[in-house]
Amino acid sequence: MKLMKTAAIVTLMTGCAFASLGVQRAEALNLLDLFRKKKPVVEEFQPLPGVEQMQPVQRQAARPLPKVTSPQYYTYKAEPLRRIATAKLVDPVVTGSVSADVLPPAPPAVLADARQFLPEVTAYAPADVAKAIETFYAGRDGFVWIDGDAPNSAAKAALTVLGQAASVGLDPQDYAVTVPSDTFDRNDMAAREKSLVEFEIQLSAATLTYIADTVRGRIDPNKISGYHDFKRKAVNLTGKLENIARSHDVAAYLNSQSPSGVEFLALKRELAALQAQTSDAPQITIAPGTLLKPGISNPELANVVAAIRVKGSDALKVEHSLTLTAYQGTPDYTPELVALVEGFQKEHGLTPDGVVGKASIRILTGGDTSESKAAKVRIAMEQARWLPADLGSRYVFINQPAYMVYYHDQGAEQFSMRVVVGSKAHQTFFFEDEIQTVEFNPYWGVPQSIIINEMLPKLRNDPGYLDRLGYQVELKGRPVSSYDVNWNGSTAGVAVRQPPSSDNALGELKILFPNAHAIYMHDTPSKSFFKKDDRALSHGCVRLADPRRMAAAVLGTSVEDIGKQIAGGRNKGVSVPERIPVYVAYFTAWPNKDGAVEYFHDVYDRDMYMERALEATRQARRAEG
């Protein structure tokens, strides 16, 4: 009894549904029948073995149907800038340098009375940057960016890097600093000293803001939506400024702060290439609602071929050069043209079936301009900063917009496979975790959200329905009949699970990385979903096209051994030999294993929320203090 109770609670905590409403049912009877009001195979109630049969409860008047709501998207609240408290700084006794390795001594007559100007310095920065500057300059005996009566070489190097911030996906205007003029009135050195001290503080603020932005990103992901879950990276900004003061090569040091992983560098190269393009290829229009199937005749075929000429890869166009050369705009969808379309679909991650429908047309005609691609790349670079600088030599990477999962080992992609992710109403979260366990012949613990939102209306009319389907029900940890639960009351103490079986919602196995969102990877009886191009169809968990292969990879064993574990029929969990990072990610632009950046449809519209967050940040940083 205790084991049953424990298993039910664990599976409930990690439970997730396996199909969206309105999709085709799997071959065997399952929970979808609950929604279709289809009679189950077993017509008469049979008590479950080991389940105590309770006296029917006294029915109460039904409460209004409750609802479990999904996470929400927020109006992004950008961090306001605050004034740097320069008036509180201890006056530095100017020697012209913080370090003899950085700057040569300044003439003592210049900036000797700099402390009198610190209270008058006007400089604003994010709170952590402002605090770091106040800490750094308190009691210092020199400056970083000025030497004598002018900005020094370190300042010029820093300004050059800040001016190139767009190359790493940032906005140079966020780090703009007014540089004192080379010409000034030597009879008014007080004005010169004041402008230099102000420049010193402002450049330090700009430099530290740049470092914070390029290390961890400008956007706090947890302020975008409840679907984002990342611990914001900590950056020792005071230490960074101390490193700059000691550095012999400030430009190199600043450039080293940007991510250096192969994925980020590929995005950086792609952005440079897009920004270098002077014009976009002509846009091709295909009539809305077009559906081309092999063997039919349709005048829109000419537009499909024209779009492939523009958007197909050079390799594809070389392979099908004879077909493209011979085509004269006729409407007949011949086998040669089908092969051309299949090739195009394959290189864009679509099902290569030659059928031109919504997904193919979206790629052929979608907003694939250089600017729209650049926008996706900049967002990808921002989001990449939320992840570790080095993803690791062995990890699993799920990219939701691509509907794919990639297994990496020994620093290289070993294989990939199709996945099904959450529907727009039940979105998969964006987070990172570690794979810990593979569970064979799993129970499916039905989440409270599904019990309340989707099962409860049916159960109020037919309390014994779950018994007839073979689901197990517990009330406050005690196995009971579904009929003996008061479904008109609270479901807080109710647990529902589906035992292991051929039609279990989780299939043969699930791969667990325990998290607060009850997200994991698993098998599914609904294999036909993997044939679809748009695979946002689940209640949030990630279904694998080839779960045995993934399980073998994370356990460090063979697919044959995984088959034996399943064939045993027993529900059991096996810990992975070592925990493996898993990135449940969301990138509409991301490089493939060859380093070429691929683009994907923004299925959850998250790029739109990112753009809004970036704009809110720009506005906050432009605001007057």
Side-chain angles (χ1 to χ4, degrees), residues 192-206:
R192 181 62 173 179
E193 291 175 4
K194 178 182 176 181
S195 67
L196 287 172
V197 172
E198 193 158 71
F199 170 75
E200 169 80 17
I201 300 300
Q202 290 179 348
L203 183 54
S204 289

Side-chain angles (χ1 to χ4, degrees), residues 176-297:
V177 176
T178 301
V179 181
S181 172
D182 288 337
T183 59
F184 57 93
D185 184 357
R186 292 191 174 275
N187 294 320
D188 188 5
M189 290 305 296
R192 181 62 173 179
E193 291 175 4
K194 178 182 176 181
S195 67
L196 287 172
V197 172
E198 193 158 71
F199 170 75
E200 169 80 17
I201 300 300
Q202 290 179 348
L203 183 54
S204 289
T207 303
L208 290 189
T209 301
Y210 172 86
I211 289 176
D213 289 350
T214 201
V215 170
R216 70 185 180 198
R218 292 162 286 178
I219 304 305
D220 181 346
N222 301 321
K223 292 164 64 175
I224 297 175
S225 82
Y227 292 108
H228 293 74
D229 184 8
F230 286 92
K231 183 179 180 181
R232 197 104 196 262
K233 293 179 181 177
V235 185
N236 181 359
L237 295 173
T238 302
K240 296 291 186 182
L241 193 49
E242 290 171 348
N243 290 339
I244 289 172
R246 291 190 295 266
S247 175
H248 293 280
D249 190 340
V250 169
Y253 181 77
L254 291 178
N255 285 326
S256 73
Q257 300 304 296
S258 291
S260 57
V262 293
E263 296 83 8
F264 189 89
L265 294 179
L267 292 169
K268 182 180 178 181
R269 289 192 299 269
E270 178 78 354
L271 183 60
L274 291 169
Q275 291 171 337
Q277 292 182 5
T278 56
S279 62
D280 285 307
Q283 288 294 106
I284 308 297
T285 301
I286 298 175
T290 295
L291 179 63
L292 292 181
K293 295 185 177 181
I296 72 168
S297 180

Side-chain angles (χ1 to χ4, degrees), residues 35 125 150 163 266 283 298 331 347 359 397 423-424 547 553 575 622:
F35 308 139
Q283 288 294 106
N298 189 315
E347 70 179 15
F397 191 91
S423 67
K424 195 164 186 179
S575 297
R622 305 297 188 273

Side-chain angles (χ1 to χ4, degrees), residues 433-607:
D433 215 295
E434 290 183 324
I435 295 172
Q436 298 184 21
T437 310
V438 177
E439 183 178 338
F440 298 104
N441 302 305
Y443 286 85
W444 175 45
V446 184
Q448 279 288 316
S449 60
I450 295 179
I451 293 174
I452 293 173
N453 293 346
E454 300 174 22
M455 295 173 67
L456 196 55
K458 176 66 179 178
L459 288 165
R460 285 190 172 182
N461 294 323
D462 186 0
Y465 199 77
L466 291 177
D467 289 341
R468 298 198 303 276
L469 282 177
Y471 284 75
Q472 297 175 352
V473 181
E474 288 189 355
L475 181 61
K476 297 181 179 179
R478 182 170 55 174
V480 297
S481 164
S482 170
Y483 188 80
D484 291 320
V485 176
N486 178 18
W487 297 109
N488 292 318
S490 171
T491 63
V494 179
V496 178
R497 68 175 185 171
Q498 182 185 26
S501 65
S502 60
D503 65 321
N504 181 278
L506 307 184
E508 299 176 336
L509 61 85
K510 62 181 178 181
I511 300 173
L512 299 172
F513 34 98
N515 57 84
H517 317 299
I519 300 293
Y520 48 83
M521 298 184 286
H522 65 86
D523 183 23
T524 174
S526 303
K527 304 296 186 184
S528 62
F529 290 173
F530 297 107
K531 297 178 182 179
K532 299 177 179 290
D533 291 325
D534 294 324
R535 297 188 292 280
L537 301 167
S538 81
H539 273 71
C541 281
V542 179
R543 307 180 201 170
L544 302 172
D546 191 354
R548 293 190 180 194
R549 187 177 188 186
M550 184 62 76
V554 300
L555 286 174
T557 187
S558 66
V559 174
E560 290 73 22
D561 180 63
I562 298 299
K564 292 177 183 177
Q565 299 274 13
I566 294 168
R570 186 166 64 91
N571 167 246
K572 66 175 181 178
V574 179
S575 297
V576 298
E578 60 180 27
R579 294 187 178 186
I580 303 168
V582 57
Y583 305 100
V584 186
Y586 192 95
F587 289 93
T588 57
W590 194 250
N592 60 24
K593 62 182 178 181
D594 299 318
V597 174
E598 298 177 335
Y599 297 88
F600 309 103
H601 176 56
D602 185 11
V603 60
Y604 299 150
D605 295 326
R606 288 183 183 168
D607 281 5

Side-chain angles (χ1 to χ4, degrees), residues 320-387:
H320 297 276
S321 57
L322 294 179
T323 299
L324 290 168
T325 301
Y327 182 65
Q328 299 296 316
T330 57
D332 298 331
Y333 196 13
T334 64
E336 294 78 14
L337 292 171
V338 171
L340 170 66
V341 170
E342 289 175 345
F344 180 83
Q345 290 172 325
K346 185 175 181 179
E347 70 179 15
H348 285 84
L350 303 177
T351 302
D353 56 7
V355 177
V356 180
K358 290 181 180 178
S360 296
I361 291 173
R362 184 169 60 236
I363 293 175
L364 289 165
T365 64
D368 229 5
T369 65
S370 295
E371 182 48 44
S372 67
K373 285 183 176 180
K376 286 187 172 185
V377 170
R378 282 190 287 265
I379 288 173
M381 296 173 84
E382 178 73 13
Q383 294 179 163
R385 293 179 166 101
W386 304 341
L387 301 176

